[in-house]
């Protein structure tokens, strides 16, 4: 299984990716989680990335791509993975294709977990209170959504052209969305 989960911040794609990875024994590759680990460990990459993350901006491609390539090359499960939070732009998607094709691999499916801005606002404000996530403060939520919307259409079109895109309504409960994902896996 070589899948990508696409969707706005707060769409639930991280939760779904983790569940899919567990059920199908695939690696869950979340660039957001990788970056937060670098920040927590106080590495040079973490210190640089934090400046972008705290403002809701994208961390420059050079850092992200190097980090991700390392993780892809380390995979010891036959190359099964679910990408979450990457790619975020068409340029990242093109770079991912190049990296994978050098490994003899390709993306099998890109699932868009679609959620409206209104619903995202509700969810992220709630999460900011519960988790105390720095980047979920109001101004940052607005910026993250703006950045997502700016890049989403070309990114989605990229996977549509490749014939691997599936759209799911992400405004349903976790179990219902997961059941759809399981059906897609079986298809
Ligand atoms: P996430 O947990 O996926 O919402 O990511 C949290 C933050 O990490 C984002 O707001 C970005 O600042 C950064 N980030 C995560 N993935 C990427 C990516 N693929 N490209 C650039 N920045 C990223």
């Amino acid at each position: 299984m070589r899948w990508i989960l696409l969707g706005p911040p707060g769409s639930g794609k991280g939760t779904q990716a983790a569940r899919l990875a567990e059920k199908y024994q695939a690696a869950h590759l979340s660039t957001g989680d990788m970056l937060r680990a670098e920040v927590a460990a106080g590495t040079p990459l973490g210190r640089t990335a934090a400046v972008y993350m705290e403002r809701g901006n994208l961390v420059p491609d050079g850092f992200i791509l190097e980090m991700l390539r390392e993780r892809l090359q380390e995979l010891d499960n036959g190359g099964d993975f679910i990408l979450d939070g990457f790619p975020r732009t068409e340029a990242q998607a093109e770079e991912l294709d190049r990296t994978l094709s050098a490994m003899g691999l390709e993306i099998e499916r890109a699932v868009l977990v679609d959620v409206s801005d209104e619903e995202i606002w509700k969810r992220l404000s709630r999460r900011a209170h519960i988790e105390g996530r720095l980047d979920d403060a109001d101004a940052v939520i607005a910026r993250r959504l703006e950045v997502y919307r700016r890049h989403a259409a070309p990114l989605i079109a990229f996977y549509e052209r490749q014939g691997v895109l599936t759209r799911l309504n992400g405004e349903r409960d976790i179990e219902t969305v997961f059941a759809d994902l399981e059906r897609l896996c079986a298809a």
Side-chain angles (χ1 to χ4, degrees):
M1 138 183 259
R2 285 182 281 280
W3 282 29
I4 297 172
L5 293 195
L6 304 172
S11 59
K13 64 185 189 312
T15 304
Q16 300 293 353
R19 292 188 60 169
L20 279 174
E22 193 186 351
K23 173 151 186 180
Y24 298 99
Q25 273 139 43
H28 175 197
L29 302 179
S30 155
T31 44
D33 286 350
M34 291 175 206
L35 290 169
R36 279 184 287 278
E38 297 282 342
V39 173
T43 64
L45 167 59
R47 285 200 293 274
T48 306
V51 177
Y52 296 91
M53 295 167 77
E54 282 163 11
R55 291 174 170 76
N57 289 325
L58 295 182
V59 176
D61 282 359
F63 297 109
I64 300 284
L65 292 165
E66 191 184 326
M67 187 177 74
L68 188 79
R69 270 195 209 106
E70 264 173 37
R71 297 295 284 270
L72 282 169
Q73 274 150 11
E74 276 167 19
L75 289 186
D76 58 1
N77 62 357
D80 282 350
F81 59 77
I82 297 156
L83 278 168
D84 155 23
F86 181 95
R88 265 174 152 88
T89 62
E90 191 178 4
Q92 289 186 354
E94 285 168 351
E95 204 48 53
L96 174 65
D97 270 7
R98 275 192 283 276
T99 301
L100 289 177
S101 79
M103 299 168 72
L105 302 173
E106 60 182 17
I107 293 300
E108 294 161 354
R109 202 181 274 285
V111 182
L112 171 64
V113 182
D114 222 355
V115 179
S116 68
D117 283 4
E118 196 188 350
E119 175 66 17
I120 292 300
W121 268 103
K122 279 193 217 146
R123 294 185 186 184
L124 289 185
S125 329
R126 218 180 298 136
R127 183 163 89 186
H129 283 292
I130 297 169
E131 296 178 10
R133 260 182 68 162
L134 264 184
D135 61 355
D136 283 345
D138 276 8
V140 183
I141 295 176
R143 177 69 187 151
R144 287 168 72 208
L145 266 178
E146 184 193 331
V147 169
Y148 172 78
R149 293 288 171 211
R150 181 182 318 149
H151 296 289
L155 182 61
I156 292 161
F158 178 89
Y159 288 111
E160 211 152 31
R161 281 197 300 278
Q162 292 196 352
V164 296
L165 185 80
T166 303
R167 294 169 196 267
L168 288 188
N169 171 5
E171 296 199 10
R172 299 167 300 160
D173 63 72
I174 293 175
E175 296 306 327
T176 311
V177 175
F178 189 66
D180 274 2
L181 288 166
E182 285 177 305
R183 267 191 291 278
L184 277 176
C185 282

